[in-house]
Amino acid sequence: MSSPAYALAGESYAALGVDTEVVLKRLAAIPVSLHCWQGDDVGGFEHPGAGITGGGIQATGNYPGKARTPDELRADLDHALALIPGRHRLNLHACYAEFGGRKIERNEVNTSHFESWIQWAKDRGLGLDFNPTYFSHPLANDGATLTHRDPGVRQFWIDHGKACRRIGAEMGRRLGSPTVTNVWIPDGSKDLPVDRKGPRARLEASLDAVFAEKLDPRHHRDAVECKLFGIGSESYVAGSHEFYLGYAVSRKILVCLDAGHFHPTEGIADKISSTLQFVPEILLHFSRGVRWDSDHVVLFDDPTRAIMEEIVRGEFLARTHIGLDFFDASINRVAAWVVGVRGTLKSLLWALLEPSAQLRALEEAGDYTSRLALLEELKSLPFGAVWDEHCRRANVPVGPAWLPVVKAYEKTVLAQRT
Ligand code: RNT
Ligand code: ZN
């Protein structure tokens, strides 16, 4: 039995030609890739006390209770996943490898270092996504990795990328769902570089070496992520949007669009239909930049909805991998996941509930008055009742009822971590 509020909401949407039952079925089948790094401030477990060093990214805040071990991180993820409707994916970074106390270099990582993660994902029926880690490492601390002037350092990072692609493909094979392995490097310059060309030429050659091995697309996809600037790379980033767009188009691989990686008022929604005109698929990093690429928790807000509207309107869902990229250390980290994933899913539901046939007909008829009027009226439809029904059917808390669950977990588990 559906709730009375949902039954009424269904009638409102039906009057506009939208079948909420069809929408809820579609929504339930779309996975979001949860980023593991929200749980420990992008620290990873390569060695005790690991944390972000350099790389132009930074987690701020010191809220107590961050995961200190892979087991703690997995427990926190389980807790978050139980409060989020649907079946999703986990996005891992190479620095979350488990070495069992041994010292393993990044160019030597292999699937055996991710066995516990693969088993964890398998037990829960989740797919995995993956990322080589090109930061928080002595050989990255001068701000260069794949663009490095020193061929030896470059080779080290090329080997890391190759190793990670193999791990990604193996994860995809074992879990029966292709892994997207996303390459993001921090390489850039704090102050005005004289040579902007050299690092980009080296980056192209390094990427070609990383991607040289052909991997089965049934198990694996490659993505490259651009960025405008970072902390310490304000004046120049080698892997800019133009660079990676050109690279991905010419190699027919995925472009990763991170919502925080452009000029402060520039959204990524309008980039989707342009990019997908020329590359097979895209990866999205949902994030919320506040005045800069600050990686705040994703919300059910205008920019997030605009991205989802584009994906749905363009019928791009099958060619879009939905990922998250935020890290807030100033609030409960499990709650951050729950807020961010629920906000992402709400935005997706919002887009799926749009009466697209009607809006399109108005546009094609040149009736822009009605198009604008209808878009505005949609905002006060009983959206919340449909979202609540989705949560109810997925057996997760409805509305703010998830919050006391996280608060109890904080008291019994997180607060005990010192
Ligand atoms: C950095 C990129 C990148 C990272 C993660 C940790 O600006 O957005 O995606 O945030 O790889
Ligand atoms: Zn990102």
Side-chain angles (χ1 to χ4, degrees):
M1 262 293 282
S2 311
S3 77
Y6 172 71
L8 284 174
E11 286 174 25
S12 304
Y13 282 100
L16 292 164
V18 176
D19 184 339
T20 53
E21 285 299 301
V22 172
V23 167
L24 287 184
K25 274 200 194 75
R26 286 184 80 190
L27 179 64
I30 302 166
V32 169
S33 196
L34 270 78
H35 53 318
C36 72
W37 53 92
Q38 164 58 53
D40 74 331
D41 313 339
V42 208
F45 305 117
E46 288 169 303
H47 52 84
I52 301 178
T53 59
I57 51 174
Q58 198 167 20
T60 53
N62 48 16
Y63 201 84
K66 83 167 168 190
R68 301 160 301 179
T69 64
D71 285 332
E72 287 183 352
L73 186 58
R74 284 187 281 265
D76 293 355
L77 277 162
D78 277 330
H79 195 79
L81 285 168
L83 302 172
I84 294 163
R87 179 168 300 183
H88 299 288
R89 304 175 62 82
L90 179 70
N91 192 5
L92 277 175
H93 239 283
C95 60
Y96 289 77
E98 292 170 78
F99 295 143
R102 283 155 304 150
K103 168 118 188 68
I104 309 280
E105 258 311 335
R106 290 224 181 133
N107 56 352
E108 289 163 352
V109 284
N110 62 52
T111 314
S112 74
H113 306 128
F114 293 89
E115 278 308 325
S116 304
W117 285 112
I118 295 172
Q119 198 51 52
W120 179 86
K122 206 178 183 92
D123 292 343
R124 286 152 187 77
L126 309 178
L128 287 176
D129 296 304
F130 201 50
N131 306 259
T133 308
Y134 286 107
F135 52 87
S136 305
H137 189 279
L139 288 181
N141 284 347
D142 61 0
T145 62
L146 291 177
T147 72
H148 210 285
R149 270 187 208 87
D150 179 337
V153 176
R154 242 167 30 236
Q155 191 59 49
F156 174 85
W157 290 116
I158 289 169
D159 291 340
H160 178 56
K162 288 169 137 178
C164 287
R165 287 181 73 239
R166 275 188 215 122
I167 296 168
E170 182 63 9
M171 286 172 168
R173 191 186 65 76
R174 294 203 7 218
L175 297 170
S177 165
T179 290
V180 179
T181 300
N182 176 50
V183 171
W184 171 74
I185 62 164
D187 301 34
S189 169
K190 179 185 175 88
D191 225 320
L192 298 168
V194 176
D195 180 12
R196 289 173 186 265
K197 183 177 76 171
R200 288 183 172 139
R202 292 194 288 274
L203 179 53
E204 181 182 11
S206 293
L207 290 171
D208 281 347
V210 168
F211 296 132
E213 185 179 347
K214 287 274 160 283
L215 297 171
D216 191 334
R218 282 176 306 167
H219 310 314
H220 188 261
R221 310 286 156 84
D222 291 300
V224 284
E225 180 180 7
C226 77
K227 184 162 171 167
L228 179 66
F229 83 99
I231 305 168
S233 60
E234 288 85 354
S235 301
Y236 171 73
V237 164
S240 62
H241 182 50
E242 291 76 6
F243 177 90
Y244 279 130
L245 189 60
Y247 189 82
V249 167
S250 56
R251 272 65 170 185
K252 296 281 173 249
I253 60 171
L254 280 65
V255 165
C256 171
L257 297 170
D258 182 309
H261 284 194
F262 296 86
H263 287 275
T265 59
E266 186 179 2
I268 60 169
D270 183 53
K271 301 181 188 303
I272 293 169
S273 57
S274 304
T275 308
L276 280 172
Q277 200 66 37
F278 303 103
V279 297
E281 295 175 1
I282 53 171
L283 167 64
L284 297 179
H285 274 185
F286 282 87
S287 194
R288 179 167 53 104
V290 177
R291 307 203 185 284
W292 70 291
D293 179 29
S294 57
D295 291 295
H296 280 64
V297 177
V298 169
L299 301 175
F300 176 59
D301 59 7
D302 286 346
T304 310
R305 283 197 297 268
I307 297 166
M308 293 303 189
E309 285 166 357
E310 269 308 303
I311 303 172
V312 173
R313 290 174 186 170
E315 295 174 357
F316 294 136
L317 271 165
R319 296 168 63 199
T320 304
H321 302 264
I322 299 176
L324 304 173
D325 189 8
F326 53 80
F327 27 103
D328 192 335
S330 75
I331 58 174
N332 179 306
R333 293 171 185 79
V334 177
W337 267 316
V338 179
V339 170
V341 184
R342 286 175 70 120
T344 304
L345 291 170
K346 275 186 212 166
S347 305
L348 179 54
L349 172 61
W350 172 270
L352 291 168
L353 282 170
E354 193 174 83
S356 46
Q358 220 186 113
L359 285 164
R360 254 170 226 280
L362 292 172
E363 187 162 288
E364 270 155 35
D367 186 356
Y368 304 145
T369 308
S370 302
R371 180 185 62 183
L372 185 65
L374 183 54
L375 281 170
E376 190 62 8
E377 287 303 326
L378 295 177
K379 292 178 184 164
S380 49
L381 285 180
F383 166 82
V386 185
W387 168 250
D388 287 350
E389 180 67 12
H390 181 59
C391 292
R392 204 182 61 80
R393 290 184 188 181
N395 283 317
V396 303
V398 172
W402 62 267
L403 193 51
V405 185
V406 174
K407 288 283 181 185
Y409 185 69
E410 174 168 324
K411 209 164 158 199
T412 55
V413 179
L414 302 180
Q416 312 306 316
R417 298 175 186 164
T418 43

